[in-house]
Amino acid sequence: MTWLYRFGLAVVPGLFKLLYPYKILHRSPLPEGSRAIICSNHISMIDPILLAFTQKRQIYYMAKAELFHNRLLSWLIRSLGAFPVNRGKGDSAAVNTAVELLNEDKLLGIFIEGTRSRDGNLLKPKPGTVMFAAQTGAPIIPVAIAAKGGKMRLFHKVVISCGEPIPPEELNIREGTGLEYRNASRYVMSRISELREEAIAALNQKKKK
């Protein structure tokens, strides 16, 4: 874990509790030496920070290459575990980095939709998550993030719901065909959808007097 990431885990959660009152359901930190893909929906720029609160280990993320054009921002997000990917261009370097991280028993964070949802509703899943799982044998940890009204706003509740691991065998990827990847991606998204419904229910739950 980089010193900046460690510092962030120690300091940032308390601040976020004030700015974005969050609640984590079924938090299950993964032990050191176990590879996994933390796979979530994507509704805001702060989603990587919220996902970091679910684990005691550093999570490494693919981030769009444009964010690395600024030298200071590039240093900051690299220190927090991000690495660049040229979206829509078949970036082999980013793919190799992701595979290497998983083969080193690290945690890889992926937003399965590939981009942010503007209204909080789930978008069509991309196949990258299940491809990495099939290639490296890493289980997928489905996670759903939900906010009031579907959008992240200051001082409004946020719920992060963590699901049970999905082992690669459960994805039914035998030959690595496009159809298998699409079906597996839809399956992972269905698990995220279930967790999202649970998160929304928790958001709407009234406090007992």
Side-chain angles (χ1 to χ4, degrees):
M1 187 183 296
T2 64
W3 69 268
L4 188 59
Y5 200 98
R6 190 182 302 277
F7 176 80
L9 280 185
V11 174
V12 176
L15 175 63
F16 262 62
K17 272 289 187 182
L18 298 175
L19 299 178
Y20 301 95
Y22 67 87
K23 180 179 182 180
I24 300 175
L25 305 178
H26 319 302
R27 181 175 183 265
S28 183
L30 296 163
E32 288 287 348
S34 59
R35 68 186 67 177
I37 301 169
I38 312 296
C39 181
S40 173
N41 63 318
H42 197 11
I43 63 173
S44 80
M45 292 290 287
I46 66 171
D47 291 344
I49 300 174
L50 294 172
L51 290 183
F53 300 160
T54 69
Q55 300 295 323
K56 295 181 179 179
R57 297 167 55 192
Q58 184 160 359
I59 303 175
Y60 297 83
Y61 296 95
M62 282 186 177
K64 60 182 181 180
E66 292 82 356
L67 295 176
F68 295 81
H69 292 170
N70 179 285
R71 185 173 297 180
L72 179 59
L73 179 60
S74 177
W75 171 83
L76 177 64
I77 60 180
R78 285 183 188 276
S79 298
L80 293 174
F83 58 96
V85 58
N86 290 292
R87 296 184 299 180
K89 296 182 180 180
D91 191 335
S92 59
V95 170
N96 290 339
T97 298
V99 170
E100 287 173 7
L101 287 167
L102 290 171
N103 285 336
E104 293 171 359
D105 295 329
K106 303 287 180 61
L107 301 181
L108 179 67
I110 297 182
F111 297 106
I112 193 169
E113 299 151 302
T115 188
R116 277 179 292 153
S117 170
R118 299 299 179 182
D119 58 9
N121 291 318
L122 299 179
L123 306 177
K124 184 178 178 181
K126 304 295 184 182
T129 303
V130 298
M131 291 175 68
F132 290 138
Q135 187 171 348
T136 66
I140 297 170
I141 312 299
V143 181
I145 302 173
K148 278 282 188 180
K151 295 183 178 180
M152 206 76 70
R153 290 178 292 176
L154 281 172
F155 311 118
H156 284 68
K157 288 172 60 178
V158 182
V159 175
I160 306 105
S161 183
C162 305
E164 292 293 320
I166 303 172
E169 300 79 24
E170 201 169 308
L171 301 174
N172 292 317
I173 297 173
R174 306 282 186 239
E175 299 177 4
T177 64
L179 178 60
E180 287 179 337
Y181 287 138
R182 288 193 294 273
N183 288 338
S185 298
R186 293 188 189 107
Y187 174 67
V188 174
M189 184 58 95
S190 72
R191 294 279 294 270
I192 292 175
S193 179
E194 292 172 0
L195 293 168
R196 180 172 174 269
E197 291 301 316
E198 181 183 36
I200 291 173
L203 281 173
N204 296 327
Q205 189 175 23
K206 295 181 179 180
K207 293 183 178 180
K208 293 182 180 180
K209 295 183 179 180

